[in-house]
């Protein structure tokens, strides 16, 4: 026991004095904290770097699907969603021009979350959690600060450090504020493996990943107080404005409203009052009646433009730089409409932890072994993450419906749910069914139902016209689904 304590103390001294560790993690967000804690649990010496250790105030990363909750518990971090006034989420209630369908997460024996009582509701169904993002991050950081194998530094990472004679990454250069003088000073941190998880606005992405994020819209946020949601304990998606609105509780009194505003949306132009005018004139009338008073009060409480976040799609990329892994939102993003981001991140950490375990790779300085593990990680993660990413992008295309064919698919999607076909779709959404073929089956089932509904509305006697319409609906569905599925699953 004493030898173990000495070894831990020696490693801590190397981290604090010499800034050397097995792993350097850049970014103490969801992914960074989780991967630092997971690797430290395996006995790795870890340095965790964060530019700003104050509690963050973000408007996304507040809704965790059941699959994410299960992964969090697998990592031994389930306590981080307790005692922060988090709210159980049992599914989604989708509103379509005043009508709604309430869709709970399915009870599926043998799938993720079904064996963990803490992840289940009283009905035995899996449940997600929603919360203030900053409170969750603070709990994750506290867990890392307490871990004997992790040293946390508040410093701004600037660039990677490369070897003189090979392309291997040795660590990162940073800028740290001197506590005595208040001046920022150059600093360095070294590790056998450097994991960059510095988020959607990554400083390192451009240097190592050729693909740039595609931004089609922004989420503008309001915090509603004492909002009377039609289905308490459920997330709410409202379709009826020019673009979808997402509502979910983040505390016992607070409800988050996220209003999607596509780029160059005419209804949000300066002539129409900008984003605030769009919210007041278009979004507010489309909301359920019980939500409108608190939405109006939140809009009137502050006359400024509400805070926003870009809604980005960034498909995953294989990386081959020795000693470096760019992960989390720095590597892969999807539209946050379905709340899948944290589920992807935490599932990735579980997979990475297993692939980099000391039993498989005793020395993280073995670049060839780490490279093989990262290639395996790239392909194995797709079974779940491709589903969540494709579903997010496909549902956003349907719910935003910027063409007549997409509007028909939108109606078909809601009709599909109204017919009671919600078990598999909600299992996919919740990160509970890791099967891409199930997603493909249901998406094109929606397309064929949309074709049938269009035929009935137009009149079955219009044969040639209906065939033409059917072709364009199916073609639109394929254009929405297949390119994203190909990029997420097969590349």
């Amino acid at each position: 026991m004493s030898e173990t304590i000495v070894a831990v103390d020696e490693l801590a001294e190397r981290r604090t004095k010499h800034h050397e560790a097995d792993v350097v993690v850049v970014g103490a967000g969801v992914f960074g904290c989780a991967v630092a804690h997971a690797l430290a649990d395996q006995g790795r010496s870890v340095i965790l770097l964060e530019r700003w250790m104050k509690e963050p105030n973000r408007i996304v990363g507040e809704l965790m699907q059941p699959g994410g909750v299960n992964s969090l518990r697998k990592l031994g971090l389930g306590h981080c969603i307790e005692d922060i006034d988090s709210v159980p989420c049992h599914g989604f209630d989708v509103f379509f021009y005043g009508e709604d369908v309430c869709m709970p997460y399915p009870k599926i024996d043998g799938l993720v979350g079904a064996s963990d009582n803490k992840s289940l509701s009283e009905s035995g169904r899996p449940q997600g959690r929603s919360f203030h993002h900053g409170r969750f991050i603070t709990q994750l950081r506290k867990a890392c600060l307490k871990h004997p194998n992790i040293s946390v530094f508040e410093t701004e990472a600037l660039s990677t450090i490369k070897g003189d004679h090979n392309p291997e990454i040795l660590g990162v250069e940073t800028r740290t504020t001197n506590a005595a003088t208040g001046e920022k000073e150059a600093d360095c941190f070294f590790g056998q493996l450097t994991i960059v998880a510095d988020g959607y606005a990554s400083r390192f992405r451009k240097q190592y990943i050729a693909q740039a994020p595609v931004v089609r819209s922004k989420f503008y946020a309001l915090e509603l107080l004492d909002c009377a949601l039609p289905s308490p304990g459920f997330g709410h998606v409202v379709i009826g404005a020019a673009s979808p609105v997402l509502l979910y509780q983040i505390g016992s009194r607070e409800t988050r409203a996220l209003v999607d505003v596509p780029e160059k949306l005419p209804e949000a132009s300066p002539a129409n009052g900008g984003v605030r005018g769009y919210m007041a004139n278009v979004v507010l009338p489309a909301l359920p009646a019980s939500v409108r008073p608190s939405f109006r009060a939140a809009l009137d409480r502050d006359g400024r433009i509400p805070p926003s976040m870009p809604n980005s799609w960034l498909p995953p990329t294989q990386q081959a730089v020795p000693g470096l892994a760019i992960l989390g939102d720095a590597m892969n993003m999807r539209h946050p409409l379905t709340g899948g981001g944290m589920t992807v991140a935490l599932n990735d950490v579980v997979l990475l932890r297993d692939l980099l375990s000391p039993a498989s790779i005793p020395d993280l300085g073995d670049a060839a072994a780490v490279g093989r593990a990262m290639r395996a990680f790239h392909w194995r993660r797709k079974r779940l993450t491709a589903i969540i990413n494709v579903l997010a992008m496909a549902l956003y295309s349907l719910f935003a419906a910027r063409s007549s064919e997409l509007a028909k698919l939108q109606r078909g999607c809601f009709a599909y749910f109204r017919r009671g076909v919600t078990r598999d779709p909600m299992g996919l959404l919740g990160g509970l069914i890791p099967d891409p073929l199930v997603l493909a089956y249901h998406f094109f089932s929606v397309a064929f139902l949309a074709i049938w509904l269009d035929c009935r509305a137009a009149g079955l006697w219009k044969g040639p016209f209906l065939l033409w319409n059917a072709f364009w609906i199916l073609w639109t569905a394929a254009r929405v689904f297949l390119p994203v599925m190909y990029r997420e699953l097969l590349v």
Side-chain angles (χ1 to χ4, degrees):
M1 179 66 73
S2 61
E3 291 181 3
T4 301
I5 294 173
V6 170
V8 170
D9 289 344
E10 288 178 353
L11 291 172
E13 185 177 8
R14 290 195 68 81
R15 293 194 299 269
T16 55
K17 284 189 176 182
H18 305 292
H19 293 179
E20 294 179 355
D22 296 327
V23 184
V24 174
V25 179
V26 178
V30 174
F31 186 94
C33 286
V35 77
H37 198 275
L39 297 179
D41 272 351
Q42 296 178 327
R44 306 287 193 189
S45 177
V46 180
I47 288 173
L48 178 60
L49 309 179
E50 170 57 37
R51 180 177 61 89
W52 184 248
M53 285 295 289
K54 297 289 192 301
E55 183 170 295
N57 182 23
R58 286 187 63 190
I59 63 168
V60 293
E62 298 173 317
L63 175 60
M64 185 182 294
Q65 298 286 2
V69 173
N70 185 75
S71 293
L72 193 71
R73 299 199 190 284
K74 284 183 180 179
L75 295 168
L77 292 168
H79 63 279
C80 293
I81 54 174
E82 308 297 341
D83 302 320
I84 58 171
D85 196 26
S86 65
V87 180
C89 180
H90 304 292
F92 277 81
D93 193 356
V94 178
F95 280 77
F96 182 75
Y97 294 94
E99 298 183 68
D100 79 299
V101 56
C102 198
M103 304 185 295
Y105 297 119
K107 183 178 180 181
I108 306 175
D109 293 336
L111 290 180
V112 173
S115 61
D116 183 355
N117 290 334
K118 291 183 179 179
S119 301
L120 303 179
S121 65
E122 292 181 0
S123 65
R125 295 176 181 271
Q127 62 181 5
R129 287 290 186 96
S130 52
F131 38 72
H132 287 270
H133 175 83
R135 295 176 188 174
F136 175 54
I137 294 298
T138 296
Q139 293 299 100
L140 288 175
R141 290 176 179 176
K142 285 180 179 178
C144 290
L145 286 164
K146 290 178 182 177
H147 203 294
N149 292 334
I150 302 175
S151 294
V152 182
F153 296 85
E154 187 172 65
T155 186
E156 182 182 6
L158 301 175
S159 61
T160 53
I161 301 171
K162 298 180 181 178
D164 292 333
H165 306 293
N166 58 55
E168 185 174 0
I169 300 302
L170 306 178
V172 291
E173 294 179 347
T174 73
R175 192 165 49 196
T176 306
T177 301
N178 186 309
T181 65
E183 297 294 322
K184 291 190 175 182
E185 300 175 352
D187 212 342
C188 294
F189 295 85
F190 298 94
Q192 294 176 317
L193 176 63
T194 298
I195 296 176
V196 173
D198 58 342
Y200 77 96
S202 173
R203 170 174 280 173
F204 295 83
R205 182 192 297 125
K206 286 184 180 179
Q207 187 176 354
Y208 295 103
I209 297 178
Q211 181 89 23
V214 177
V215 179
R216 295 168 57 185
S217 66
K218 287 184 178 181
F219 259 149
Y220 287 84
L222 294 176
E223 187 172 304
L224 317 185
L225 293 177
D226 301 319
C227 176
L229 289 172
S231 299
F234 282 73
H236 292 64
V237 179
V238 181
I239 307 167
S243 207
V245 178
L246 184 59
L247 301 160
Y248 52 88
Q249 273 188 271
I250 55 174
S252 52
R253 293 191 61 205
E254 304 88 10
T255 295
R256 174 68 71 207
L258 293 175
V259 178
D260 184 82
V261 181
E263 292 182 332
K264 300 179 181 178
L265 182 68
E267 293 89 337
S269 66
N272 289 316
V275 170
R276 288 179 56 82
Y278 171 65
M279 287 183 169
N281 302 324
V282 180
V283 174
L284 183 63
L287 296 175
S290 65
V291 175
R292 292 173 198 165
S294 56
F295 189 91
R296 167 58 75 182
L299 196 58
D300 292 343
R301 197 160 52 236
D302 189 343
R304 296 175 296 179
I305 297 175
S308 66
M309 287 282 288
N311 297 327
S312 306
W313 177 48
L314 178 65
T317 303
Q318 283 202 69
Q319 300 160 55
V321 179
L324 177 69
I326 298 178
L327 299 168
D329 280 355
M331 181 270 291
N332 184 206
M333 290 185 283
R334 77 292 309 150
H335 196 288
L337 176 67
T338 56
M342 288 187 289
T343 299
V344 168
L346 294 168
N347 177 76
D348 281 355
V349 172
V350 171
L351 182 57
L352 194 66
R353 174 199 65 181
D354 296 342
L355 289 169
L356 296 180
S357 71
S360 301
I361 306 177
D363 180 10
L364 291 177
D366 184 346
V370 172
R372 287 193 296 271
M374 294 308 299
R375 286 191 290 276
F377 168 78
H378 176 78
W379 292 107
R380 289 186 193 178
R381 70 188 292 271
K382 290 178 179 290
R383 184 168 173 82
L384 177 67
T385 60
I387 290 171
I388 292 173
N389 294 343
V390 172
L391 187 60
M393 301 309 299
L395 280 180
Y396 175 70
S397 293
L398 266 59
F399 289 175
R402 308 307 293 172
S403 72
S404 59
E405 285 77 20
L406 284 171
K408 292 172 182 177
L409 286 167
Q410 183 189 82
R411 289 192 293 273
C413 183
F414 186 73
Y416 198 65
F417 297 154
R418 286 294 299 270
R419 280 164 165 75
V421 188
T422 63
R423 176 187 179 276
D424 285 357
M426 287 305 296
L428 294 165
L429 182 74
L432 302 170
I433 301 178
D435 189 343
L437 291 179
V438 174
L439 174 60
Y441 168 79
H442 286 286
F443 188 84
F444 283 100
S445 294
V446 165
F448 284 110
L449 178 58
I451 290 170
W452 168 245
L453 293 175
D454 186 56
C455 289
R456 283 205 323 177
L460 296 177
W461 55 274
K462 297 182 179 179
F465 174 76
L466 294 178
L467 286 175
W468 180 253
N469 278 358
F471 168 79
W472 277 111
I473 292 172
L474 198 58
W475 174 255
T476 301
R479 286 183 59 195
V480 166
F481 185 82
L482 294 179
V484 181
M485 177 63 96
Y486 170 78
R487 187 62 184 83
E488 289 283 350
L489 189 63
L490 300 177
V491 176

